Amino acid sequence: MALIQDKFRHPFPAAVDSTMLHAFRSCPQQFYMSYVRKIRAGGTNTHFVCGGAFAKGLEIARTQYANTTAVGVPAILAAEKAVEVGLLALLKAYGDHVPGEKNKNKDMVNTARAYISYFDKWPLHSDYISVASFQGKPAVEFTFVLDTPIRHPESGMPIIYAGRLDWVGEYNGLYIVMDEKTTRYFKSEWASDWVLRAQFTGYVYACQQYGIPVTGYGIRGTALKMTEIEHQEAIITIPPWRLQRWWLQTARDIQRMVDCWKQDYFDFNLGDACTSYNGCPFTQLCKVEDPEPWIPAGDFEDNTWSPLQKEVEV
Amino acid sequence: MEEMTAESVRELQQRVLAHEPISEEELRRAIAYLRKSRNAAPKEKAPPKEKKSKTQDVDLLSLIEDLREA
């Protein structure tokens, strides 16, 4: 069997997250290129810039609000100041990026509009989902790592499942993991599309492993259109059996990753994964028999993904 | 107070990136602009006020009819 990989064995990652699992499930070869071979398409991705800056603004505003109200600043004043501080963080995080014509809806000004609109829709001082506090600290940008039962093919250590979630909210006495998503527009089934999403099931599972009694998750979506900003929300609870199934499936998928690495062969989807979203960035490499010489010649750059990096929906 | 525009928000951002000080007043004006401009297009297309009062009349008539039936 002809192998597409180069002769040098790139190391298997020590930690895996939901983004990596998502890539592997859709196409093992895409997982290989992104997280083992560690390359990505060159240029800046507007979706990541916009989503990252938007998330940074919200994170800083929420933290600022929680910290200032904790020392007695009146809620409405604290909220106003927090939105200002968050906006500064967003402007910094967006940087000099200028999107192409196709993604103008996610330019800096519209991203800032979306941020302001978000806090008009869900004001910090009167949001029905408040930021939960644990041991006196607001549960904002919570990072977790879990040992999986799968051994690393080189070190023999447990492969880590890691992630970073936006915040934990308190809603009618229940704790839920909260996440923000930006999009171009809302599909008709937007809210129900999140029901089985592994990323959030993993967040709930992880929180419970950390002793945080989370029962579900909430997604707050913001659609950045050229002419208006829209918001939607979905709140989903998860029964314990689905958490257990998610953990089992995650372990099975990580085992398959390891098997591919050991066999030095990562399977190809050769189907929808090649064209979905904006198309797989590696399709050019899959069109040639030996892709390795094409990597330096193509529009690719080295990229080491950190599982603790903020995940952004595109 | 001079109103901001998209261009002035971009200029403000360049100053943020250059680590120049930004006053609270400027931030508030930027927020006011962003808030005002976020749904500019749909607001222009909003139905005229007369139509709204017509709807209120219809609601009132339905209410009277409901009360008569009751």
Side-chain angles (χ1 to χ4, degrees):
Chain A
M1 181 165 46
L3 298 181
I4 199 166
Q5 279 81 58
D6 52 320
K7 286 169 191 168
F8 167 75
R9 294 292 297 276
H10 291 276
F12 190 88
V16 167
D17 70 354
S18 67
T19 302
M20 296 161 81
L21 276 162
H22 179 77
F24 183 79
R25 286 166 183 148
S26 61
C27 177
Q29 186 63 209
Q30 190 189 83
F31 166 83
Y32 168 78
M33 288 296 180
S34 298
Y35 308 111
V36 182
R37 182 60 183 80
K38 294 182 179 174
I39 56 168
R40 71 172 177 191
T44 311
N45 183 324
T46 297
H47 304 297
F48 278 86
V49 173
C50 167
F54 182 77
K56 178 53 81 178
L58 297 182
E59 175 200 339
I60 297 298
R62 266 201 196 93
T63 308
Q64 163 89 9
Y65 177 76
N67 290 338
T68 49
T69 48
V71 295
V73 176
I76 199 153
L77 289 178
E80 196 179 327
K81 183 69 186 166
V83 171
E84 291 170 15
V85 173
L87 177 63
L88 277 176
L90 179 150
L91 297 177
K92 265 184 211 163
Y94 199 97
D96 278 327
H97 177 67
V98 178
E101 197 60 33
K102 194 177 157 193
N103 294 315
K104 274 187 88 172
N105 64 311
K106 291 189 174 181
D107 72 0
M108 183 276 294
V109 175
N110 222 30
T111 304
R113 282 190 188 109
Y115 164 83
I116 295 300
S117 178
Y118 179 99
F119 281 127
D120 285 347
K121 170 82 176 168
W122 295 294
L124 283 162
H125 61 284
S126 59
D127 194 345
Y128 48 84
I129 303 178
S130 58
V131 176
S133 283
F134 300 103
Q135 295 163 344
K137 285 186 179 173
V140 176
E141 292 295 319
F142 172 68
T143 298
F144 63 84
V145 288
L146 302 173
D147 282 351
T148 71
I150 312 302
R151 297 276 165 182
H152 192 277
E154 295 159 286
S155 71
M157 300 289 284
I159 293 173
I160 290 165
Y161 182 81
R164 186 171 187 234
L165 56 92
D166 285 349
W167 54 293
V168 178
E170 197 177 342
Y171 174 61
N172 285 340
L174 297 174
Y175 290 118
I176 51 176
V177 173
M178 295 299 295
D179 199 88
E180 330 288 352
K181 296 290 182 197
T182 53
T183 183
R184 181 182 290 272
Y185 65 94
F186 287 117
K187 293 186 287 174
S188 56
E189 301 298 317
W190 182 87
S192 56
D193 276 357
W194 304 105
V195 171
L196 291 174
R197 189 59 69 108
Q199 177 189 353
F200 305 119
T201 312
Y203 289 168
V204 174
Y205 183 91
C207 281
Q208 292 191 359
Q209 298 303 303
Y210 274 71
I212 301 169
V214 163
T215 52
Y217 52 90
I219 317 295
R220 285 181 165 174
T222 298
L224 289 87
K225 297 181 179 178
M226 283 305 293
T227 52
E228 62 183 319
I229 307 293
E230 289 180 348
H231 303 280
Q232 280 198 34
E233 183 178 62
I235 293 176
I236 293 149
T237 54
I238 309 183
W241 66 265
R242 259 176 52 200
L243 295 175
Q244 292 307 318
R245 184 181 68 181
W246 170 84
W247 185 237
L248 173 67
Q249 187 59 55
T250 298
R252 288 175 65 90
D253 289 336
I254 295 173
Q255 183 61 61
R256 286 199 297 133
M257 288 175 179
V258 170
D259 292 344
C260 286
W261 188 89
K262 283 180 176 169
Q263 292 161 15
D264 201 10
Y265 189 90
F266 285 82
D267 298 278
F268 296 80
N269 176 282
L270 304 178
D272 289 345
C274 307
T275 51
S276 58
Y277 295 106
N278 291 321
C280 173
F282 305 119
T283 48
Q284 290 303 319
L285 298 176
C286 292
K287 286 176 184 170
V288 295
E289 188 175 8
D290 180 11
E292 193 57 33
W294 292 88
I295 292 173
D299 187 19
F300 297 100
E301 55 192 37
D302 292 337
N303 178 56
T304 301
W305 170 258
S306 163
L308 301 181
Q309 203 168 311
K310 178 78 191 86
E311 294 174 34
V312 177
E313 185 74 6
V314 293
Chain B
M1 188 172 69
E2 194 187 339
E3 278 198 14
M4 279 210 178
T5 60
E7 197 45 47
S8 44
V9 173
R10 282 189 200 98
E11 284 167 14
L12 183 82
Q13 190 217 12
Q14 288 308 308
R15 287 174 47 214
V16 171
L17 295 177
H19 304 287
E20 288 177 24
I22 307 293
S23 72
E24 202 160 329
E25 175 59 30
E26 285 175 293
L27 271 177
R28 284 182 185 162
R29 281 170 50 212
I31 288 170
Y33 164 73
L34 294 166
R35 186 168 281 139
K36 191 178 165 188
S37 65
R38 72 183 166 191
N39 289 340
K43 271 181 188 167
E44 284 164 14
K45 289 175 190 169
K49 279 184 178 175
E50 299 83 50
K51 200 173 175 183
K52 197 181 170 190
S53 64
K54 210 172 174 181
T55 310
Q56 282 171 343
D57 290 343
V58 170
D59 288 342
L60 192 62
L61 286 172
S62 321
L63 183 67
I64 291 165
E65 271 183 25
D66 286 346
L67 287 168
R68 275 186 186 150
E69 278 176 18

